[in-house]
């Protein structure tokens, strides 16, 4: 039995009902300080890891995001400092691509930039710090902080994340005997098993009220399963409190609530990634595999509004990156300046970033706080805002 599985069974054994919520289970599997998936130094992202993200495909993703950050800085009338808060920076590749590009192309913006990383995985923090040693040596203001270390109402700039919310722990739910019930994790003969019981918190019903979904109702069959990401709401509340003026940019895979909670999606969206294979069993490879769920963008939008975060626009990654100049990058590959293998590799990478059936279909949600003129059209949303 793996160490982490033993720790989880011990944790369950200490509870009065001999069960923990799936959210508590996922939290331990991914973030247990020593044994959790994101705590270990094992490579998680990239060809040697378990899954790819957009920045695994090369520098283009980070460079195009950098273009958007420069424009945000200009819209905010070039504040000093402009703070970029990257949340869930993974192996640190995206941050590196952004900063290297800014250094080469926008040195004036870089002089005004402060970069803060908020990262939960201990293993990830170590990898990120190793990657940015040189930047720290040249006294560039990059730092790793917890939210508690950032005062409320202090960030002027942009908080952003790529594939962060899908890594938050979720509550698993099911319809049983016509009732909405919660799925808990228990054990029997040293094996982890699932049990259903009443909802662990009234916040789950409040969540469905927020997004306008009625479960149970006739449309939802017995055995229907889904998830609710309450951690996403807690995170949004924290980000909104820290942001004084500026933007929140969220890129992730997901759907609006009507699609997420469509009765036909009766097995939910939970997926596990292990060595570039995906499956839906979170109880194997514990601490060695990623566990994720899609993001409900309606919840982020509506809850954000209640916190003073105005929706600037929602689009798809492919459209967003095209608006930021990905098309020109594709065209420039025919300029004769690159060798054939470089052209083939980059063309494939750029196509993957915009492929509507893959990364290009990811959601891009832009929210803002305290901007007098929210009508400034950001380049990434040009002509495409509010598309679904
Ligand atoms: C799927 S990875 C994405 C990595 C990276 N953004 C990229 O695009 O390659 C999720 C990252 O979010 C981190 N994470 C999860 N929950 C977090 C939280 N509440 N605060 C900060 N980081 C978190 C994980 O440790 C991991 O580094």
């Amino acid at each position: 039995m793996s160490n982490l599985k033993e720790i989880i069974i011990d944790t369950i054994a200490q509870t009065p009902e001999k069960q923990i919520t799936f959210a508590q289970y996922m939290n331990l599997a991914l973030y247990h300080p020593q044994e959790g998936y994101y705590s270990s130094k094992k490579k998680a992202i990239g060809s040697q890891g378990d899954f790819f993200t957009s920045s695994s495909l090369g520098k283009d993703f980070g460079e195009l995001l950098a273009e958007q950050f420069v424009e945000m800085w200009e819209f905010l009338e070039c504040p000093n400092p402009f703070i970029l808060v990257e949340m869930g920076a993974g192996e640190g590749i995206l941050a590196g691509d952004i900063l290297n590009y800014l250094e080469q192309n926008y040195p004036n913006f870089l002089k005004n930039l402060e970069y803060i990383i908020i990262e939960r995985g201990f293993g990830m923090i170590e990898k990120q710090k190793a990657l940015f040693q040189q930047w720290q040596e040249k006294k560039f203001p990059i730092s790793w902080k917890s939210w508690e270390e950032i005062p409320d109402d202090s960030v002027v700039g942009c908080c952003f994340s790529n594939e962060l919310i899908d890594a938050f722990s979720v509550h698993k739910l099911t319809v049983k005997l016509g009732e909405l019930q919660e799925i808990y994790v228990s054990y029997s003969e040293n094996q982890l098993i699932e049990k259903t019981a009443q909802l662990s918190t009234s916040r789950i019903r409040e969540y469905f009220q927020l997004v306008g979904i009625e479960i149970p109702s006739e449309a939802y069959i017995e055995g229907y399963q889904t998830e609710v990401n309450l951690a996403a709401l807690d995170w949004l509340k924290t980000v909104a409190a820290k942001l004084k003026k500026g933007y929140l940019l969220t890129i992730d895979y997901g759907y609006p609530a009507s699609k997420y909670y469509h009765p036909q999606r009766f097995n939910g969206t939970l997926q596990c990634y292990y060595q570039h294979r995906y499956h839906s069993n979170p109880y194997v490879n514990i601490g060695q595999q990623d566990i994720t769920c899609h993001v409900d963008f309606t919840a982020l939008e509506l809850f954000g509004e209640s916190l003073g975060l105005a929706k600037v626009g929602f689009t798809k990654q492919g459209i967003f990156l095209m608006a930021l100049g990905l098309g020109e990058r594709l065209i420039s590959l025919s300029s004769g300046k690159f060798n054939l293998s470089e052209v083939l590799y980059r063309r494939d990478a750029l196509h993957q970033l915009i492929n509507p059936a893959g990364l290009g279909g990811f959601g891009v949600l832009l929210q803002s706080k305290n901007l007098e003129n929210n009508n400034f059209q950001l380049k990434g949303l040009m002509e495409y805002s509010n598309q679904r």
Side-chain angles (χ1 to χ4, degrees):
M1 189 157 58
S2 82
N3 212 8
L4 184 53
K5 190 172 168 188
E6 261 173 56
I7 294 171
I8 291 170
I9 289 180
D10 268 2
T11 308
I12 297 171
Q14 282 164 33
T15 65
E17 274 116 12
K18 306 280 175 269
Q19 63 188 30
I20 56 175
T21 64
F22 185 81
Q24 288 169 313
Y25 170 74
M26 190 165 160
N27 221 6
L28 289 167
L30 296 183
Y31 305 108
H32 181 277
Q34 284 80 41
E35 307 287 334
Y37 178 71
Y38 283 112
S39 304
S40 79
K41 292 201 196 92
K42 167 185 185 287
K43 188 137 177 71
I45 309 170
S47 54
Q48 311 284 306
D50 299 304
F51 58 94
F52 287 116
T53 61
S54 289
S55 39
S56 314
L57 293 170
K59 298 173 185 159
D60 294 283
F61 180 68
E63 295 186 351
L64 291 166
L65 285 190
E67 290 284 348
Q68 185 58 93
F69 297 140
V70 174
E71 196 194 28
M72 287 174 176
W73 177 60
E74 288 164 355
F75 280 176
L76 293 179
E77 296 173 343
C78 308
N80 183 358
F82 178 93
I83 303 180
L84 264 183
V85 181
E86 183 178 356
M87 303 164 290
E91 313 268 347
I93 306 297
L94 178 57
D97 293 339
I98 292 170
L99 290 175
N100 288 326
Y101 183 72
L102 291 175
E103 187 175 43
Q104 279 161 26
N105 297 279
Y106 296 96
N108 198 27
F109 174 46
L110 194 75
K111 271 190 229 146
N112 292 275
L113 185 65
E114 187 183 327
Y115 206 101
I116 298 177
I117 293 182
I118 305 272
E119 172 56 59
R120 187 168 179 202
F122 294 118
M124 292 300 181
I125 293 177
E126 279 190 38
K127 291 185 226 174
Q128 294 158 9
K129 286 191 172 166
L131 207 62
F132 288 99
Q133 214 170 338
Q134 279 183 344
W135 283 83
Q136 288 183 293
E137 279 162 14
K138 55 187 176 189
K139 304 272 183 267
F140 175 75
I142 181 167
S143 55
W144 285 258
K145 290 194 173 156
S146 66
W147 285 119
E148 291 72 35
E149 290 171 297
I150 301 178
D152 281 356
D153 247 350
S154 67
V155 175
V156 175
C158 179
C159 300
F160 76 102
S161 66
N162 181 51
E163 296 203 32
L164 167 74
I165 323 290
D166 70 76
F168 288 173
S169 310
V170 296
H171 290 262
K172 258 184 99 179
L173 306 163
T174 187
V175 173
K176 192 172 173 191
L177 302 173
E179 294 268 323
L180 180 63
Q181 297 226 341
E182 183 153 351
I183 296 176
Y184 293 81
V185 182
S186 184
Y187 64 93
S188 169
E189 294 172 3
N190 272 335
Q191 293 309 315
L192 292 164
I193 55 165
E194 290 190 340
K195 281 164 81 176
T196 52
Q198 288 191 342
L199 301 185
S200 61
T201 163
S202 56
R203 291 182 69 201
I204 293 169
R205 283 194 212 288
E206 287 160 19
Y207 184 100
F208 283 123
Q209 273 163 16
L210 171 80
V211 298
I213 296 291
E214 200 186 329
I215 308 178
S217 65
E218 256 180 41
Y220 294 97
I221 55 166
E222 180 74 8
Y224 169 86
Q225 283 197 17
T226 193
E227 319 86 26
V228 157
N229 191 337
L230 296 179
L233 304 189
D234 298 336
W235 162 82
L236 202 56
K237 203 169 171 184
T238 306
V239 180
K242 305 297 169 186
L243 195 60
K244 182 176 183 189
K245 186 175 180 175
Y247 296 95
L248 169 60
L249 170 64
T250 305
I251 305 176
D252 218 318
Y253 40 91
Y255 312 112
S258 56
K259 229 172 145 183
Y260 194 116
Y261 296 109
H262 195 285
Q264 283 174 358
R265 199 180 306 287
F266 52 82
N267 278 326
T269 71
L270 190 129
Q271 270 181 349
C272 305
Y273 289 85
Y274 181 64
Q275 296 178 352
H276 294 277
R277 285 190 296 267
Y278 68 90
H279 63 87
S280 59
N281 185 353
Y283 306 111
V284 294
N285 309 316
I286 304 168
Q288 298 295 312
Q289 68 176 11
D290 195 19
I291 309 175
T292 81
C293 280
H294 281 51
V295 172
D296 170 3
F297 281 102
T298 307
L300 299 185
E301 271 178 43
L302 296 178
F303 194 61
E305 273 168 25
S306 76
L307 301 166
L309 293 169
K311 177 180 168 187
V312 184
F314 179 80
T315 186
K316 292 287 161 80
Q317 174 168 308
I319 297 170
F320 181 70
L321 296 180
M322 284 300 282
L324 288 169
L326 188 143
E328 286 77 3
R329 286 175 178 243
L330 268 174
I331 292 166
S332 78
L333 289 176
S334 318
S335 65
K337 280 194 251 161
F338 306 98
N339 67 44
L340 182 63
S341 63
E342 200 179 341
V343 170
L344 294 176
Y345 179 83
R346 282 260 325 280
R347 184 180 295 152
D348 179 48
L350 289 166
H351 281 157
Q352 285 192 55
L353 287 175
I354 56 173
N355 177 4
L359 295 168
F362 279 27
V364 177
L365 176 63
L366 247 162
Q367 292 160 292
S368 72
K369 188 170 171 201
N370 289 336
L371 295 193
E372 294 89 49
N373 191 348
N374 209 21
N375 296 326
F376 277 137
Q377 272 288 17
L378 287 169
K379 221 189 279 176
L381 296 172
M382 282 287 178
E383 294 166 34
Y384 301 112
S385 61
N386 303 326
Q387 286 206 357
R388 278 189 191 269

